[in-house]
């Protein structure tokens, strides 16, 4: 059974940091591009960042450039999203996405 499980979310103050993890089971990530999406209340789901299967190609949404870093560890079958300098507008449910599979989402709340 293909499964993606996110972790690492929570409540953080503005300016703080979090690192999200997405662990895959039932398949290996080696040959897949991986993306992080997020969805804030009342808004559409939006792409945050993606990384190619080789890790050589990485893209970020303009809203997170310079603050977020995507990475992957194929040996651990895991993709990460390091989020620094968090802002209240980063508050959302964050999802990882591989192929046709989605994780269940992890809440990130940025508030003082």
């Amino acid at each position: 059974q293909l499964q993606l499980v996110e972790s690492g979310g929570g409540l953080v103050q503005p300016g703080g940091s979090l690192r999200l993890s997405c662990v895959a089971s039932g398949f290996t990530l080696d040959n897949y591009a991986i993306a992080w999406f997020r969805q804030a209340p009342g808004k559409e789901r939006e792409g945050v960042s993606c990384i190619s299967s080789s890790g050589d190609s990485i893209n970020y949404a303009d809203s997170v450039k310079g603050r977020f870093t995507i990475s992957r560890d194929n040996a651990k079958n895991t993709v990460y999203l390091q989020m620094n300098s968090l802002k209240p507008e980063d508050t959302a449910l964050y999802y990882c996405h591989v192929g046709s599979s989605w994780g269940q989402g992890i809440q990130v709340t940025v508030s003082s």
Side-chain angles (χ1 to χ4, degrees):
Q1 182 179 358
L2 307 182
Q3 192 173 18
L4 297 169
V5 179
E6 301 97 338
S7 63
L11 174 64
V12 64
Q13 292 187 344
S17 298
L18 287 173
R19 188 176 81 154
L20 303 183
S21 300
C22 175
V23 180
S25 61
F27 68 106
T28 57
L29 291 175
D30 297 33
N31 297 321
Y32 291 89
I34 306 164
W36 284 96
F37 285 75
R38 67 186 182 185
Q39 187 167 18
K43 295 188 177 181
E44 294 186 355
R45 190 173 297 188
E46 63 173 352
V48 174
S49 181
C50 60
I51 183 169
S52 64
S53 57
S54 65
D56 292 341
S57 178
I58 291 176
N59 290 284
Y60 297 98
D62 288 342
S63 58
V64 307
K65 278 181 183 176
R67 301 187 298 119
F68 289 12
T69 303
I70 191 171
S71 62
R72 62 190 298 159
D73 185 340
N74 288 341
K76 294 183 178 180
N77 225 27
T78 301
V79 62
Y80 302 99
L81 186 68
Q82 177 67 43
M83 305 186 295
N84 298 329
S85 302
L86 283 161
K87 304 175 181 180
E89 51 264 42
D90 294 318
T91 295
L93 198 58
Y94 284 71
Y95 300 87
C96 63
H97 175 51
V98 180
S100 59
S101 298
W102 291 86
Q104 83 286 354
I106 188 78
Q107 180 67 39
V108 171
T109 302
V110 185
S111 175
S112 55

